[in-house]
Structure formats: C-alpha cells, structure tokens
Amino acid sequence: MSNHLVNKSQMARHLNISVQAFDKWNVKPFKREGRQLFFLFTDVIENRIENETKKYNNRVNPDSSDINIDDERAMLTRQQRITQEIKNEILEGRAIPVEAARDVLTKILARIGSTLDSLAPNIKRRHPEIEQRIIDFIKSETIKYQNEASKLDSYLDDIIDEVVTEAEAKV
C-alpha cells in the first residue's frame, strides 16, 4: 500500500482529520494532476515522524535532557484556553465545526433537489391552462438544475477548503 497514490481528501479521510488539518502538515505531494494533489502514505508517515521529532527537540532543554516543566505547563494552559474559546464560540453559535457545516449543506442540497422535483407538477396543478409542452420544458430545465445540485455534494470538500483558505488569508 506504500506505493498507492491517494488524493488529499481521501488521505484526510483515512487519517480521520479534516483536509485543512492535513494542509497544515505541509506534506510534499508525490504527484500533481491539474489542481489535484496525490500523496504516498510513506511520505505522510515520514512527515509526522519529522514533526514529532522537531516538537520533542524543541521541548527538551538544550542544557540537559529534561523537559522544561514550566514551558510544558504554559503550553498546556494555552492550549486549554484555546480549546475552551473554540467550545464557547460553537456554543454561542459564532462558529460551527466543518463536519457539521458539511452535513448541513448536504441536507440543504437534498431539499433543493426535492423542491426542484415538485416544481413542474405544482405549476401544472395551479395553472392547468398551461400547455403540456411548456410544462415539459420546465421539467427538462428543472432536471438540469437537479443534476447540478446533486453534483455539488461531491464539491463540498473543495468549496469548504476554499472558504477556509480565504478566511485564513484575512486573519
């Protein structure tokens, strides 16, 4: 499996992390096809080992092989504060986890599809005088938009990535 190429979304899914978190790891892609990047599992593992080694080396006091307890406490306290701030933003409705947003958007897309499906019959029911060819045209146009709406679900990861990237650029 080490020679198997996986795109960014699939890799993030395999690692049980978001695509944004995977981007922050700065793993060098093995291959690029258009806008899509492909990675090897071995490259990701090497990246994580290097990252953990650097973190460990940064925590260890260069004068001795002991960990600086005060620095560790400060880092832990800071991380707890950040975690609590994020939880508060979610509870206050000012933030939403990406996975929850993805679920909401998927449900909205499903509703759009069902709404579009009932459009032509509703028009025919309210206006029986409209010719059938016009209703058929409305149905065919509606089907085009239903198909587009059903495809949007597959683009959600890319759309969310773009929104997050834009938001990060503003910060």
Side-chain angles (χ1 to χ4, degrees), residues 4-161:
H4 183 68
L5 293 176
V6 179
N7 71 25
K8 188 190 309 184
S9 296
Q10 292 169 331
M11 183 63 76
R13 200 172 313 118
H14 285 300
L15 297 168
N16 289 326
I17 62 172
S18 69
V19 175
Q20 296 80 12
F22 182 74
D23 282 339
K24 290 180 182 178
W25 287 5
N26 294 321
V27 177
K28 291 194 168 115
F30 181 79
K31 180 180 175 185
R32 175 185 285 267
E33 283 183 14
R35 291 183 60 217
Q36 202 165 31
L37 302 175
F38 293 92
F39 301 87
L40 289 173
F41 283 97
T42 53
D43 292 342
V44 174
I45 292 168
E46 287 174 13
N47 173 279
R48 294 293 80 206
I49 290 170
E50 287 175 22
N51 183 51
E52 290 303 313
T53 302
K54 285 179 187 174
K55 282 200 303 192
Y56 176 76
N57 289 338
N58 288 340
R59 284 194 309 240
V60 174
N61 190 338
D63 296 335
S64 69
S65 62
D66 295 333
I67 294 175
N68 185 329
I69 298 297
D70 291 334
D71 288 345
E72 289 295 314
R73 282 189 186 130
M75 286 191 319
L76 177 62
T77 302
R78 180 175 182 267
Q79 191 58 48
Q80 288 172 334
R81 181 182 50 81
I82 291 169
T83 301
Q84 190 59 50
E85 287 173 359
I86 291 170
K87 286 179 182 178
N88 289 343
E89 286 183 354
I90 291 169
L91 290 173
E92 293 168 3
R94 292 183 287 130
I96 183 168
V98 172
E99 293 302 319
R102 183 177 290 113
D103 293 344
V104 168
L105 291 172
T106 300
K107 288 178 183 177
I108 289 170
L109 291 172
R111 284 192 180 177
I112 289 171
S114 64
T115 300
L116 289 173
D117 196 33
S118 63
L119 185 63
N122 287 344
I123 291 172
K124 182 67 173 173
R125 198 171 18 259
R126 286 190 154 205
H127 301 285
E129 71 278 2
I130 294 178
E131 296 177 32
Q132 187 59 39
R133 67 180 179 80
I134 295 173
I135 295 297
D136 292 341
F137 174 75
I138 292 170
K139 279 183 187 177
S140 68
E141 288 297 305
T142 303
I143 288 170
K144 288 179 193 175
Y145 294 111
Q146 275 181 296
N147 290 338
E148 286 301 312
S150 70
K151 291 177 192 174
L152 288 175
D153 188 33
S154 63
Y155 300 123
L156 279 180
D157 285 335
D158 293 335
I159 293 168
I160 290 172
D161 287 346

